[in-house]
């Protein structure tokens, strides 16, 4: 079975980590494990598979995150995902949205560890050549986190699962919105580290509330890896140091400018396929945050990138105007 280095990964995020986002992130880090947005098993089985699952070879290593509660459907979706060439299948047992609850998957499955184990077994049997992993919370609503987390992990581990990504917060399905669930429930990193101490044979990845690379590296002790979410998206320059600081690569980190221009060939290819410029450049808006001229960069991409027929000249113009503004401010 394929072995993946999970010391650093970028979290699956709905409406954010689409294929264009992942291609851009790959321009910033060559080694981080990337994840798709969560896709439901039903969507994959019945929907436009190329639109939902298609990705560029540059994205490897890349994992497909699935949501669902029917083992047979999960098996079929995992089989399809593996055939598309994904490096990992990840089961979402952590999303707290109303839509997910209505479909009986995501964080509400924290209450059904036996079903989670069955879902994992079905997916792994259907995709035997790639790892199937689980991403969870530490509990939901009034569950005692230690009991809920350990029961979920132990039940799935007995079935054969060996890798768990743990978002170190409860999910409050009754009373908090999905946005509030990302910030309000308190973090418990120590519980995740205790899980690793108590289950040393399992691979445990820490997720949730990590503000930047420094914070992630400070909290990584006692676990096997860290997963960065919103910080990686909103402050993408954070990713520029990942290869050197996490994976100890000899190659020097590239600059923000170099990463932006490395993404241009991908943009040009997708423009030729009919993809709108803004669908790709929206992921770049935060690249020059806190840099002189960064607001100009965001404004040019936001205002001109949505125009009909906009092309890579918009990115070049944003770069030039940002530098001009920075020079004038110096």
């Amino acid at each position: 079975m394929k072995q993946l280095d999970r010391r650093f990964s970028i979290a699956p995020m709905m409406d954010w980590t689409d294929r264009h986002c992942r291609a851009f992130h790959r321009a910033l880090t060559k080694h981080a494990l990337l994840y798709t947005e969560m896709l439901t098993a039903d969507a994959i089985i019945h929907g436009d598979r190329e639109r939902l699952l298609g990705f560029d070879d540059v994205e490897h290593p890349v994992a497909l995150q699935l949501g669902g509660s029917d083992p047979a459907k999960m098996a079929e979706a995992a089989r399809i995902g593996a055939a598309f060439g994904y490096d990992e299948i990840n089961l979402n047992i952590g999303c707290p949205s109303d839509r997910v609850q209505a479909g009986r998957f995501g964080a509400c499955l924290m209450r059904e560890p036996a079903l989670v184990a069955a879902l994992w077994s079905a997916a792994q049997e259907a995709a035997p050549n790639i790892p199937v992993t689980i991403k969870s919370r530490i509990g939901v609503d009034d569950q005692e986190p230690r009991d809920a987390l350990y029961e979920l992990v132990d039940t799935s581990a007995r079935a054969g699962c060996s890798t768990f990504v743990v978002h170190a917060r409860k999910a409050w399905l009754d009373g908090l919105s999905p946005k509030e669930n990302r910030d309000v429930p308190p973090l418990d990193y120590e519980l995740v580290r205790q899980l690793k101490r108590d289950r040393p044979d399992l691979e445990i990845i820490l997720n949730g509330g990590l503000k930047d690379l420094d914070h992630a590296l400070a909290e990584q002790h006692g676990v096997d890896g860290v997963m960065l979410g919103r910080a990686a998206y909103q402050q993408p320059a954070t990713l520029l140091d990942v290869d050197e600081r996490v994976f100890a690569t000899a190659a020097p980190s590239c600059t923000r400018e170099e990463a932006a221009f490395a993404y241009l060939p991908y943009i040009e290819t997708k423009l030729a396929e009919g993809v709108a410029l803004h669908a790709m450049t929206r992921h770049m808006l935060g690249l020059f945050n806190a840099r002189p001229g960064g607001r100009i960069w965001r404004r040019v991409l936001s205002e001109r990138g949505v125009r009909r027929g906009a092309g890579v000249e918009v990115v070049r113009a944003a770069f030039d105007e940002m530098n001009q503004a920075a020079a004038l401010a110096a």
Side-chain angles (χ1 to χ4, degrees), residues 127-151:
N129 296 322
I130 61 174
V132 177
T133 64
I134 290 173
K135 186 174 189 293
S136 75
R137 292 286 183 127
I138 59 174
V140 295
D141 295 338
D142 57 357
Q143 285 185 320
E144 170 56 42
R146 192 187 188 286
D147 295 342
L149 178 61
Y150 277 61
E151 184 177 5

Side-chain angles (χ1 to χ4, degrees), residues 222-233:
V223 294
D224 297 298
V226 288
M227 175 182 277
L228 204 62
R230 283 172 291 163
Y233 188 89

